[in-house]
Amino acid sequence: MATQLTAARRPETKQSVTKKLRREGTIPAVIYGKKTESQPISVDNVTFLKTIREAGKNGIIDLTIEGENKKHQVIVHDMQVDSIKDYFIHVDFFEVDMTSEMEADVAVHLEGEAPGEKDGGVVSHMMFNITVSALPAEIPDSISVDISTLNVGDSIQVADLPEGLNYTITSEPEETIVTVLVPEEEPEEPGEEEAEEPELVDADEESEEGSEEGSNDNNNS
């Protein structure tokens, strides 16, 4: 059963009006689709947050606009969030055709512990979303990737994932989802340079050199 949500009409789209809506705890939004003309609406902030938690990122929502008798089957196509003040700025609802496949980005979750970590490797999660094609009701909220067999230098690509029963993965097969990086070698600490020992001269060689110098001096005199 789809999650229910009620929206109000929003005839005014001026920035001053949207700011006023946010101050009152309402999120400016819009609904549109392939067969649905774009229409500005607004939804209650608290109610929308509960709806998203219940339906999930790609869940179907039965959206009713006040004054209308019909329900719009929508997904949340985009959400703008103020990361500093932590509130919704704007939401895009896309009305879907439940009988036609569509593409959607699905979150990737890593499961398990890679043996390569125990050998000093570092798990690098490189791909956080995978694109799939499916009927709107069959789009998964997330895809789990098991990393419990990855050793140092191993990786998992899109091509390694099993296909779902109700969806087709459309991301490029050669894209890497996760890899276990080879541990970096720690640079050796520079040691103290060993002082060069002076070359020792044999005592006999010194006496011979001295004798030669003395002989040369006498001859010169």
Side-chain angles (χ1 to χ4, degrees):
M1 181 178 177
T3 306
Q4 310 293 314
L5 180 65
T6 301
R9 295 180 181 276
R10 182 169 59 94
E12 291 286 343
T13 58
K14 295 179 180 178
Q15 189 173 5
S16 58
V17 176
T18 57
K19 286 183 177 180
K20 182 175 182 293
L21 287 172
R22 295 187 191 104
R23 287 196 300 268
E24 295 172 349
T26 304
I27 309 170
V30 63
I31 178 175
Y32 59 91
K34 291 182 177 180
K35 299 180 181 179
T36 305
E37 186 176 349
S38 178
Q39 179 180 348
I41 56 175
S42 62
V43 293
D44 179 75
N45 184 76
V46 175
T47 304
F48 174 73
L49 184 58
K50 291 179 179 178
T51 301
I52 283 297
R53 288 175 176 171
E54 181 180 339
K57 180 188 174 189
N58 295 312
I60 303 299
I61 299 171
D62 280 343
L63 181 69
T64 302
I65 301 174
E66 291 178 352
E68 293 185 2
N69 294 323
K70 64 172 292 187
K71 290 183 178 180
H72 301 271
Q73 292 179 305
V74 302
I75 62 171
V76 175
H77 185 261
D78 187 40
M79 291 185 296
Q80 296 177 34
V81 182
D82 187 313
S83 57
I84 297 176
K85 298 181 179 179
D86 193 26
Y87 69 90
F88 295 104
I89 298 174
H90 193 273
V91 179
D92 288 7
F93 294 101
F94 181 79
E95 185 160 15
V96 298
D97 178 358
M98 299 298 289
T99 63
S100 299
E101 288 194 352
M102 62 176 293
E103 286 195 341
D105 290 335
V106 178
V108 175
H109 291 163
L110 303 184
E111 288 188 346
E113 183 177 349
E117 283 189 286
K118 296 180 181 179
D119 297 327
V122 178
V123 174
S124 177
H125 190 175
M126 304 176 68
M127 195 172 178
F128 293 90
N129 290 286
I130 290 176
T131 305
V132 304
S133 177
L135 292 173
E138 303 293 348
I139 297 173
D141 193 50
S142 64
I143 292 177
S144 297
V145 176
D146 183 11
I147 63 171
S148 61
T149 60
L150 295 184
N151 295 303
V152 174
D154 290 344
S155 62
I156 295 176
Q157 295 181 315
V158 172
D160 299 323
L161 296 181
E163 291 286 350
L165 297 177
N166 302 315
Y167 63 83
T168 302
I169 297 174
T170 59
S171 294
E172 294 297 328
E174 66 274 8
E175 288 190 87
T176 299
I177 299 170
V178 58
T179 185
V180 180
L181 301 175
V182 177
E184 295 184 4
E185 294 184 2
E186 296 184 3
E188 295 183 2
E189 295 184 3
E192 296 182 2
E193 295 183 1
E194 296 182 0
E196 294 185 2
E197 295 183 1
E199 185 178 350
L200 298 177
V201 180
D202 187 77
D204 293 337
E205 291 181 0
E206 283 186 354
S207 60
E208 288 179 5
E209 289 178 359
S211 299
E212 291 177 0
E213 290 178 359
S215 175
N216 291 335
D217 291 342
N218 293 332
N219 291 335
N220 290 336
S221 63

